[in-house]
Amino acid sequence: MFEADNWLKECDGFLIDLDGTLYRGHDAVPHAKEFVEWLNRTGKKYLFVTNNSSRLPRQVAAKLREMGIPAEEEHVFTSSQATAMYIRNHSKVVTPAVYAIGEEGLLSALTDLGCRWEEENPDYVVVGIDRDFTYQKLMTASLAIRKGAVFLGTNADKRVPTEKGLVPGAGSLSRAVAAASGGEPVWIGKPEARMVEYSLQRIGTTPDRTVMIGDNLETDILAGINGGIRTVLVLTGYSSRRDAERSSHKPDMILEDLSEFLRCFEIE
Ligand SMILES: [Mg+2]
């Protein structure tokens, strides 16, 4: 039987990955519902932290609810929201001028935090996933970066899993812009420390009492390590126990699934 380390029992903040951790494709991972119900019942502070920049938080919450997992939009934190926070924290003007390559989730997050659209001379060029990426967009972004705009990438994921296989992710589009412009993006999403830092600001917990739970060593676990919090790898998604043994990014705990997590708290 699995014995919980004391540190996990003392955690009151939970940063939780989505794909591979709470669901796979269109189906909830077993015990995901019970896990989120437990978070609610015990009054834990938590965020679903996703690199996906395309969707609105309310769309992410709706998708979770469709799979039977209780979720509200205030519990969702996307790389698009983090990118908008970065701009708000760094901009010297109240209404930063931004050119963005991205979808609804990114454009809306930027607008919500007071950015205005500017193609010729933006202060920032932001690149997220955009399934309508074109040469024209690549050119507009590149020219702006060459004129001095700060270049931000919502996340560095080169490929994302779909039913068709691995398809280009936001990181591939950012790298196209990097090649064309000669600039290098500031990355925002996992595994960057700032994604954890902003998440902690959102839920108001301290690093020593917050844990990152995810299925990917290279994004979730490394984000936790970079952000100075503890990490739990669940083996329901991308990374295997073998991967963890070989990786230099060691999680503090490895669990087969979320039922094992719940058992940690219920066997006293
Ligand atoms: Mg994942």
Side-chain angles (χ1 to χ4, degrees), residues 17 19 215 220:
D17 174 57
D19 201 356
D215 70 308
D220 307 316

Side-chain angles (χ1 to χ4, degrees), residues 1-182:
M1 185 56 79
F2 185 82
E3 288 288 331
D5 286 282
N6 283 335
W7 65 261
L8 184 58
K9 288 187 177 170
E10 280 165 23
C11 282
D12 52 12
F14 297 81
L15 308 184
I16 306 150
D17 174 57
L18 291 175
D19 201 356
T21 302
L22 290 188
Y23 61 77
R24 273 187 306 247
H26 299 291
D27 299 308
V29 160
H31 312 288
K33 174 176 181 277
E34 291 80 1
F35 170 64
V36 178
E37 284 171 348
W38 172 82
L39 291 170
N40 288 332
R41 190 169 69 242
T42 53
K44 305 293 187 198
K45 293 177 178 165
Y46 64 94
L47 273 184
F48 305 124
V49 181
T50 177
N51 270 2
N52 185 327
S53 64
S54 66
R55 282 177 297 164
L56 298 166
R58 69 175 155 78
Q59 294 168 331
V60 175
K63 176 175 171 153
L64 289 166
R65 285 197 302 272
E66 276 167 30
M67 292 184 286
I69 301 169
E72 300 298 331
E73 73 173 280
E74 65 264 26
H75 286 130
V76 176
F77 189 54
T78 70
S79 63
S80 288
Q81 291 173 294
T83 303
M85 279 178 78
Y86 180 94
I87 293 174
R88 193 184 58 187
N89 290 349
H90 288 81
S91 176
K92 294 180 184 69
V93 296
V94 181
T95 314
V98 176
Y99 176 69
I101 294 174
E103 298 184 9
E104 191 181 14
L106 179 59
L107 305 185
S108 165
L110 294 168
T111 309
D112 287 351
L113 282 194
C115 298
R116 71 181 167 84
W117 189 260
E118 167 63 47
E119 297 194 359
E120 291 287 315
N121 283 297
D123 303 310
Y124 294 89
V125 167
V126 180
V127 181
I129 195 162
D130 185 344
R131 265 82 48 115
D132 291 316
F133 187 70
T134 61
Y135 182 88
Q136 184 67 39
K137 292 179 181 180
L138 177 60
M139 184 174 75
T140 303
S142 305
L143 289 171
I145 292 164
R146 294 192 64 78
K147 278 194 262 182
V150 175
F151 176 17
L152 306 179
T154 58
N155 61 297
D157 303 337
K158 291 177 190 163
R159 292 168 287 274
V160 290
T162 69
E163 283 142 9
K164 291 178 185 163
L166 292 172
V167 302
S172 288
L173 304 189
S174 281
R175 286 172 176 90
V177 173
S181 65

